[in-house]
Amino acid sequence: MDSSKVSISIKGLQKSYGTHHVLKGIDLEVESGSIIGYIGPNGAGKSTTIKILCGITSDFEGQVTVNGIDLRSNPLEVKRQIGYIPEKAALYATLTPMEYLEFVGQLYGLNRDTIADKSLRLLELFDMKGVAYNRMDTFSKGMQQKVLIISGLINNPKILFLDEPLSGLDANSVIIVKEMLLQLAREGKTIFYSSHLMDVVEKISNRIVLIDKGVVVADGSFESLNQGRGESLEKLFAELTGEKGLTDRAEKIVQAFE
Amino acid sequence: MEKIALFILRPFKGFITASGVNYEQLTAILRVKLMMDNRRPTALSGMQKKKNGLFLQMFVFGIMGLMGGMSILQLNDEVTAYTVVFSFIMIIIAMTMVGEFSTVLFDTTDNYILLPRPINSKTIYLAKGIHIAFYLLGIAIPLAIFPLAFTFGKYGLTAGLLFLLGVFLITLFTIFFTNILYLLLMNWLSAERLKDVISYFQIGIAIVMFGAYQLLPKIIEMEAVENATLTINWWIYLIPPVWIAGFIKACHTLTFDFFGIVTTTLALTVPFLSIWFVTKYLASYFTNKLSQLDVAESGEKSSASRKVKTRWDGLLTSSSEEQAAYRFAIRQTSRNRKFKISVYPALGYVLVLIIVLIKPDFKDLAGSIANLADSRSYITMLYAPLLLAFTVVQMVNYSDTPEASWIFSVVPVDKPGTIISGIVKALYVNYILPALLFCSAIVLAIWGVTAAFHIVIALVMSVLFCGVLVKTIGEKLPFSQSYDMQNKGNNMARNFLAIFSIVGFGLAHYGITFLPLIGQIVCFALVVGTAWLVLGSIKQISWSKIKS
C-alpha cells in the first residue's frame, strides 16, 4: 500500500490483562477513505483494539501510527485527528445534550458559539432539537446514542472509530447513520467500524477484518472473502470462526426447552 | 457555584498555562464537573435529586460547624478546644470525601469521555485536584463559619485570621490523608469490594452525624469536659489537629515554648509537604489505579454473583409466586447499594434514638439502668425499630432500573398481592425482625422475663404495622419506581405520618400494659387477628389497585 495513503498502521499489537492475552499480535494497514468492518465473536478483542487506537488504553505492546503519527510518543496529536463513538452510552447523563456537546467541543479547543450552532443543527437533523435542553438521564438508550454519535463527530475527525454505534437506534436513524458513514468515507475520512450487525457491515464496508481469539483470521473485501459463493457475511462469519453446527445447536436448545 | 469557582481560578491563568496545563480544557472540565456535583444526590439529602443540593449541603455543614464550634465556647483550654474543632473538621471532611466524592472519583465514564480526547495528563490531574479542592472548600467553609465567629468573639481578630489559615492547612492535610486511605483500600480490595466499603462509609457518615446531633450537646454539658486539658505526651505531636491548635495559640498569644515551636513548624510545613507528595507521586499512581478499575471489574466476579442466603422462604410463603418474590427481594435488597445506603442508616438511627429517648445518665450508668427497670421504657425500645420498617417498606419500591419491572406484568400472576406479600415477608425477616430481636434482647436483659409477653405483643404489632404500611404507602410493585420519583410524593408529610403512627402503635401498647392480664391477653388476640386479616388482604391486592 502507498505509505502516503495509509491512515492507520498497526504492527504486532498485543495486549494482556494479567495472564489473559486479549490481542496476540495484530498487523493491519488501513487506507484513507476506507470503511473497515472490524468484526469477530464476543471477547475476540475488537473493543480492546479500538480502545488502544483511541488512546483509552495506553498500556500495550507493538507499534501503532495514525496518519503517520506514533500513538505511543504523541497520543495527543493522534487524539486531535480521531473521533470515537463507544459501545455503551458513556456520557454525563445529568447534563443536557447542549451542555455535553459544548463540553466535548471545548476539549477540542472549539469556539463555544461554533459548537452551539453545530450542536443545534446536528440535534435537529437527528430529530432531537426538542430535547436539546433536557437532562439526558431521562433519555432512552437510542437518544443517548444519538448524542454520542454527534459528540464523536463534533471535531470533524479524519478517522472515526465506532464500536457498535447503532445500538438502540430506530430504523430511520440507522439508515441516516449508515448513509452518513458512506458520505464521510467519500470525503476521504477513514471509518473503523466494529459491530455484530453483519448485514450493516456487509453493506457499508469496503474491507472486512475478522479477528478471533486475538488474531486476524480473515482480511479482505466481502467479495474476495466470499469467493463468488454468494453467501451472506453472517454465514461466512460462522465458517471463518469455526462454527459449523449452529443449526444443530439451535435445534438442541429448542429441544432442551421442551 | 461553577461561576464562582472559575472566577477564583482566573488570576492563576498565567501560572497554570506556564506549568503545561491547557487552561481552556481545564475550565471546561471543571465547569462540567461542578455542574454535575450540584445535580448529584448526596447522602445527607437522601437519594433525592435536589436542584440546589449543594446549598442544602452547605447549610447542613454550617449547622454541624455550630455543634463542633461549641467547644470553643465551652472549653477553657484553648489548645484542647481547637484540637476538638479541627479534629471535627478533619473527620467530617475526610468522611464526606470518602463517602460522597467516591462517585466522582470512581466514575469510569471519564475513561470513555476524557481519555480519547486530546487532553494531556497534567490537565486531567489538575482538573481532578482543583475539583477536589473546591469540593472540600465547599465543606470546610460552612463548617468553619461558626467556629470562626466564636474565635473572633472569644480570642480576637488575630486568632480569627489564624483560625482561617488553620482551616486551609487542615484541608490540605485531609486531601493527603484521604488519598492515602484510598490507595490503601485500593491495594487491598477489588473494585467491587471497594464500592461496598465506600457504601459502609456513607452509612457511617449518616449515623455519626445523627448521633453527634443528638448526643454531642449532652456530652458537652458535662462539667468534667469543660475543664479538660490535653496532657502533653510525645504522641500528641502525631495528631495533626494538635499542630494547628498549638500553632493558633502560639501565634496569637506569642508564647513560643517548645510545644509552640514544634506545633507551629509542623502546622506550617507538613500540609504543604504532603500536598506536594500527593501531586508528585500519588496522583499518577492513583489515576493509573482508576483506569484499571473498569478492566478489573469486567474480569472479576461482581458482588452480585456472591451467594445470598434466602432463609425460611419455604416455610413462610404459601405459593411459588410468593416464594419467588421473597427470594427476589432478599437478593435485590442485599446487593443494591442505594437500598443499603438508605436503609442501614435507619438501623443506626434506631440505636441512637433509643439512647436519646431513654436518656441514660452518662455519669451513673448502672444507676440509670436500675431506674429504667422500674419504668415502662421497654415500649420505646420495642417500637423504635418500626422506624426501620417504614424506611424499608418505602425504599423497596425504588430501583436504579425501574424499567426492569415489566417482568411482573408479563408473567401470569393472578394477583400482584402475592408478590407484594412475599416481598414484605422477606423485608420483615431480613431487616425488621433482627432489629426487633436485638432490642428484645436488651429489654430481656434489663426487665427480665416479665417483659417477655410484651415482646411477643410488640412482635405481632410490628407485623401489623408492616401490613398497614403496605396498605397505605406500599401498594406498588417492588423496584418499579425510579429514585427520582421519591421527590414527587410529599415526603415530609409522609414521614410525620409514619412517626405519628409509630407513636400511635407504641401508645396503644403502653395502654395495654395498664390492663389486667386477662385484658392484655384479649388485646393480644385482637392484635393477632387484625394482623392476620391485614396480611391476608395484602395477598388480595389486585392489578387494578396497583398504583403507578
Side-chain angles (χ1 to χ4, degrees), chain A residues 103-140:
Chain A
F103 168 63
V104 174
Q106 276 191 298
L107 295 180
Y108 288 104
L110 302 177
N111 174 287
R112 279 164 86 172
D113 294 333
T114 320
I115 306 167
D117 281 352
K118 205 171 177 178
S119 304
L120 261 187
R121 238 179 323 129
L122 285 163
L123 286 168
E124 189 174 7
L125 289 170
F126 275 101
D127 277 337
M128 289 191 48
K129 200 180 178 187
V131 292
Y133 298 96
N134 294 4
R135 269 165 67 159
M136 293 187 285
D137 43 11
T138 56
F139 284 12
S140 69

Side-chain angles (χ1 to χ4, degrees), chain B residues 174-233:
Chain B
T174 311
I175 295 179
F176 170 74
F177 175 76
T178 317
N179 255 283
I180 295 279
L181 193 69
Y182 262 124
L183 283 175
L184 287 177
L185 289 174
M186 282 164 117
N187 256 345
W188 290 329
L189 303 168
S190 65
E192 275 301 311
R193 287 300 297 158
L194 187 61
K195 284 180 188 165
D196 278 347
V197 168
I198 288 164
S199 310
Y200 295 128
F201 263 109
Q202 282 175 303
I203 292 161
I205 295 175
I207 295 173
V208 168
M209 295 305 150
F210 187 75
Y213 175 72
Q214 297 286 347
L215 296 176
L216 215 61
K218 291 187 179 202
I219 296 170
I220 283 178
E221 276 166 26
M222 289 159 68
E223 258 175 66
V225 174
E226 205 169 297
N227 290 314
T229 40
L230 278 177
T231 328
I232 297 169
N233 288 316

Side-chain angles (χ1 to χ4, degrees), chain A residues 17 51 54 56 76 79-80 84 88 90-92 94-95 99-100 103-104 106-108 112 137, chain B residues 25 28-29 31-33 35-36 39 49 107 109-120 295:
Chain A
Y17 292 119
K51 279 182 190 169
C54 294
I56 294 173
L76 287 194
K79 288 177 186 180
R80 274 189 199 106
Y84 169 54
K88 57 177 178 183
L91 34 69
Y92 298 133
T94 52
L95 301 182
E99 287 169 344
Y100 180 70
F103 168 63
V104 174
Q106 276 191 298
L107 295 180
Y108 288 104
R112 279 164 86 172
D137 43 11
Chain B
Q25 288 180 338
I29 297 173
R31 187 179 303 119
V32 157
K33 292 273 175 189
M35 203 193 292
M36 287 194 296
R39 293 176 186 176
K49 293 187 179 179
D107 190 359
T109 323
D110 264 5
N111 290 356
Y112 289 92
I113 298 171
L114 299 181
L115 295 183
R117 320 282 180 203
I119 315 165
N120 66 30
V295 179

Side-chain angles (χ1 to χ4, degrees), chain B residues 323-524:
Chain B
Q323 189 182 26
Y326 182 98
R327 296 166 70 100
F328 172 65
I330 290 178
R331 290 183 176 131
Q332 270 286 84
T333 54
S334 63
R335 288 168 189 161
N336 187 325
R337 285 194 191 91
K338 281 190 181 168
F339 181 85
K340 285 196 261 184
I341 289 172
S342 305
V343 168
Y344 288 2
L347 202 66
Y349 298 161
V350 168
L351 282 178
V352 177
L353 205 68
I354 290 173
I355 299 173
V356 171
L357 288 175
I358 60 179
K359 298 190 183 87
D361 186 349
F362 288 107
K363 278 182 250 170
D364 178 21
L365 217 54
S368 68
I369 287 177
N371 283 340
L372 265 182
D374 294 331
S375 71
R376 285 187 167 88
S377 292
Y378 54 82
I379 299 284
T380 313
M381 288 205 179
L382 293 173
Y383 284 83
L386 294 189
L387 198 65
L388 182 72
F390 175 70
T391 314
V392 172
V393 171
Q394 200 182 22
M395 284 311 295
V396 80
N397 293 328
Y398 299 104
S399 163
D400 276 330
T401 49
E403 59 278 9
S405 64
W406 61 269
I407 191 77
F408 298 117
S409 320
V410 297
V411 288
V413 174
D414 184 27
K415 288 200 169 92
T418 46
I419 294 171
I420 297 174
S421 158
I423 302 274
V424 175
K425 284 178 181 172
L427 296 178
Y428 186 82
V429 171
N430 266 273
Y431 297 94
I432 304 156
L433 192 60
L436 261 170
L437 290 178
F438 176 75
C439 292
S440 303
I442 300 177
V443 168
L444 272 181
I446 298 177
W447 281 271
V449 276
T450 45
F453 182 50
H454 290 289
I455 290 174
V456 177
I457 297 180
L459 284 174
V460 183
M461 285 285 254
S462 68
V463 174
L464 176 62
F465 181 76
C466 290
V468 172
L469 265 184
V470 171
K471 294 293 279 182
T472 50
I473 62 164
E475 280 188 345
K476 297 181 185 108
L477 287 171
F479 312 108
S480 63
Q481 321 249 311
S482 153
Y483 282 102
D484 297 344
M485 292 287 286
Q486 259 185 302
N487 258 349
K488 293 197 175 158
N490 194 343
N491 274 351
M492 207 60 151
R494 248 189 220 169
N495 290 345
F496 273 116
L497 200 72
I499 289 168
F500 275 126
S501 56
I502 294 171
V503 172
F505 271 69
L507 280 178
H509 191 160
Y510 187 69
I512 293 174
T513 60
F514 288 98
L515 295 176
L517 187 64
I518 185 73
Q520 292 186 2
I521 292 172
V522 170
C523 285
F524 174 65

